[in-house]
Amino acid sequence: MNSYTILGFNKQLLEKSITKGDLVIDATLGNGNDALLLAELVGADGHLFGFDKQEQAVAASKAKLAAYNERCTLFCAGHEQMQALLPAVAHGKIKAIVFNLGYLPGGDETITTLPETTLQALDAALALLAPEGFVLLTAYPGHATGSVETDAVAKFLQELDFSEYMVFTYQLLNNKNHPPQTYIIEKRKNRFSKQSE
Ligand code: SAM
C-alpha cells in the first residue's frame, strides 16, 4: 500500500503510535479491517472496544477478530453511546479512537453515519482519550450525506480549544473528485500556555 494514500497514511500512523497494552476504540467497525489492525497492535495485554450500529458489521468484525477474541469487546450500538457503554475504568485512558465514516462497503448504502450522531460521538470520544491520545477520523465528502457530514466535522474541529487539542488534517489536494479526508485530533498532555511551548 502506497504510504501517501489516505489509507496508507492512516495505517502508518496507527502502527507508529499504538503500542502493546494500549486501550483503543474502533467507532465504526464495518467489515473489521481497521479493527483487525488495532487488535494486532494492542497485543494480548491491550484491549479493543468496537462499535457499529449494524449487526451485519459486528458479525463480520467478530469473524475477522476470531483469533483475538479475548482482547476485544464489540457493541452492536451507535458510537454516540460510547461513553455510556465503555467500562468506567477505561474512561480517560484510551490511546486511539478510529472513525471511518460512511456506509458499510458491500452493504446497504442508505445506512450511513450521520452528521448529528457523528458529532455526538466525537464529543464523547474526546472525553474518553488519555493525555496524548488521539482520534483518527476519515470522512468521505464524495457522496451527498458524506459532504454535509465532512463540513460539519471540519467546523466542529476548527472550533476545538487549541489549549486542549491539536487538530491536523491530511488530504489529497489536487484530486477534484472529492477524495477522503483524514483528521487527527491529539489531546494535549498539559493545557497549552505560552510558558509551556
Ligand atoms: N472501519 C471499517 C472497516 O475497516 O471495514 C469501515 C467502516 S464503514 C466505512 C462505516 C460503518 O459505520 C458502517 O459499517 C456503518 O454501519 C457504521 N455506522 C453508521 N452509523 C453508525 C453509528 N451511529 N455508530 C456506529 N457505527 C455506525
Side-chain angles (χ1 to χ4, degrees):
M1 190 185 295
N2 182 329
S3 19
Y4 297 109
T5 62
I6 295 284
L7 293 182
F9 172 82
N10 288 357
K11 184 166 185 278
Q12 281 202 346
L13 182 89
L14 294 172
E15 286 171 346
K16 281 194 179 141
S17 318
I18 295 175
T19 50
K20 305 276 182 227
D22 280 341
L23 304 182
V24 299
I25 295 177
D26 186 341
T28 49
L29 282 166
N31 290 315
N33 300 306
D34 296 320
L36 180 60
L37 174 65
L38 291 168
E40 285 168 353
L41 293 173
V42 299
D45 295 332
H47 206 86
L48 163 76
F49 300 94
F51 295 86
D52 203 291
K53 66 179 180 184
Q54 291 193 72
E55 273 180 24
Q56 184 189 344
V58 176
S61 300
K62 200 172 249 174
K64 207 158 267 174
L65 293 165
Y68 302 122
N69 217 357
E70 287 179 7
R71 66 183 80 161
C72 301
T73 306
L74 307 188
F75 298 97
C76 186
H79 42 215
E80 59 278 12
Q81 297 180 58
M82 69 169 77
Q83 223 169 344
L85 292 174
L86 211 72
V89 67
H91 289 214
K93 302 206 171 74
I94 305 294
K95 178 64 172 290
I97 304 180
V98 177
F99 288 80
N100 198 339
L101 301 180
Y103 49 81
L104 181 65
D108 182 346
E109 295 188 8
T110 64
I111 306 176
T112 183
T113 52
L114 297 169
E116 191 182 341
T117 41
T118 296
L119 295 191
Q120 288 168 5
L122 255 178
D123 210 32
L126 296 177
L128 293 170
L129 286 177
E132 296 186 311
F134 66 94
V135 169
L136 173 65
L137 181 148
T138 303
Y140 295 83
H143 63 105
T145 315
S147 170
V148 176
E149 186 176 40
T150 307
D151 288 348
V153 166
K155 184 167 182 294
F156 174 90
L157 296 180
Q158 277 161 1
E159 288 170 6
L160 280 183
D161 185 348
F162 184 62
S163 67
E164 290 186 60
Y165 301 100
M166 288 184 290
V167 183
F168 304 89
T169 181
Y170 186 80
Q171 67 179 130
L172 194 54
L173 210 53
N174 64 339
N175 180 337
K176 303 209 174 8
N177 295 322
H178 310 290
Q181 180 142 4
T182 280
Y183 297 96
I184 303 126
I185 307 111
E186 183 177 333
K187 190 175 209 165
R188 290 179 185 271
K189 190 172 177 188
N190 301 305
R191 269 185 86 85
F192 169 78
S193 72
K194 285 211 166 100
Q195 283 82 16
S196 63
E197 284 188 19

